[in-house]
Amino acid sequence: MCLLVRPRALQFFFFTKAVSLLFVAPLHATLSVGQIYALKFVDVDGHTLSTADGHVSVVVLATTVDAEKARAVGDRVPEHCLGNPSYRMITVLNFNKKHILLGRKIATMLVRRRLNEEAKRLQPRYDAKKITHNARGDVFAVADFDGTVSSQLGGQPGATDFHVFVFGRDGELLKQWDNVPAADDLAAVLK
């Protein structure tokens, strides 16, 4: 009798352990509102950016197919944030695939070209507000070829999820969305 109970007890233990790991693993990957995250990124222009360096940061985690969603988030950023050195938006492009060095260089060049186009599109808003500096200096994108940055933001390897995060000046996660937030919701966090 003892020999039958022991293997069953062991099977039950391993089963419950496996099930608990399935439910706990995704929880470790998500970020929690109110927690401090001092995340560091290097953008395609070579700037080191951090979520805890004194800026209020809107960080968009997207894939290349989410370009319109990322643009919509930028369009919904309140006017008082525009050109204000206390605020910035960083788009993290999760490429989901390993690229060879040449592929990375080409992709980075294409991302820079896209940033230049976005800055030209943004410049009339700067001009209307009499902001004297070039909008290109306020447009940031991080090319994440290996999933390192995405994993810092709670993304799973190979995931194609779209997320928007707002971090306070000290890196506190103020709010997060799994889709493009409404302009009023974003403005309420960026007050």
Side-chain angles (χ1 to χ4, degrees), residues 63-82:
T63 62
T64 53
V65 297
D66 294 321
E68 289 305 313
K69 286 182 175 182
R71 176 183 275 179
V73 173
D75 289 344
R76 294 177 184 186
V77 168
E79 290 294 314
H80 74 273
C81 298
L82 208 58

Side-chain angles (χ1 to χ4, degrees), residues 121-144:
R121 193 175 153 285
L122 182 60
Q123 193 63 48
R125 287 177 68 189
Y126 271 49
D127 295 343
K129 287 191 62 166
K130 308 263 189 277
I131 299 170
T132 57
H133 67 275
N134 189 334
R136 179 60 176 89
D138 295 337
V139 182
F140 303 98
V142 175
D144 186 17

Side-chain angles (χ1 to χ4, degrees), residues 74-147:
D75 289 344
R76 294 177 184 186
V77 168
E79 290 294 314
H80 74 273
C81 298
L82 208 58
N84 185 334
S86 296
Y87 297 87
R88 70 170 163 224
M89 180 173 156
I90 305 166
T91 303
V92 176
L93 290 169
N94 183 359
F95 281 93
N96 290 328
K97 297 177 188 166
K98 303 262 186 214
H99 287 81
I100 60 171
L101 185 59
L102 180 61
R104 287 180 182 207
K105 287 183 179 188
I106 292 170
T108 301
M109 182 182 67
L110 293 173
V111 170
R112 280 194 200 111
R113 181 180 294 165
R114 179 69 186 243
L115 285 176
N116 292 339
E117 292 169 8
E118 288 301 317
K120 285 178 189 173
R121 193 175 153 285
L122 182 60
Q123 193 63 48
R125 287 177 68 189
Y126 271 49
D127 295 343
K129 287 191 62 166
K130 308 263 189 277
I131 299 170
T132 57
H133 67 275
N134 189 334
R136 179 60 176 89
D138 295 337
V139 182
F140 303 98
V142 175
D144 186 17
F145 294 107
D146 61 4

Side-chain angles (χ1 to χ4, degrees), residues 3-83:
L3 294 175
L4 291 176
V5 173
R6 229 174 247 198
R8 287 192 193 265
L10 193 58
Q11 287 174 342
F12 179 75
F13 172 77
F14 284 125
F15 174 75
T16 56
K17 191 67 171 171
V19 168
S20 68
L21 287 176
L22 287 175
F23 289 113
V24 172
L27 295 177
H28 290 296
T30 60
L31 303 183
S32 298
V33 171
Q35 295 296 313
I36 304 284
Y37 297 96
L39 309 176
K40 290 192 177 187
F41 317 114
V42 177
D43 75 352
V44 294
D45 296 321
H47 302 113
T48 300
L49 309 168
S50 172
T51 57
D53 63 0
H55 296 86
V56 175
S57 301
V58 176
V59 179
V60 178
L61 176 60
T63 62
T64 53
V65 297
D66 294 321
E68 289 305 313
K69 286 182 175 182
R71 176 183 275 179
V73 173
D75 289 344
R76 294 177 184 186
V77 168
E79 290 294 314
H80 74 273
C81 298
L82 208 58

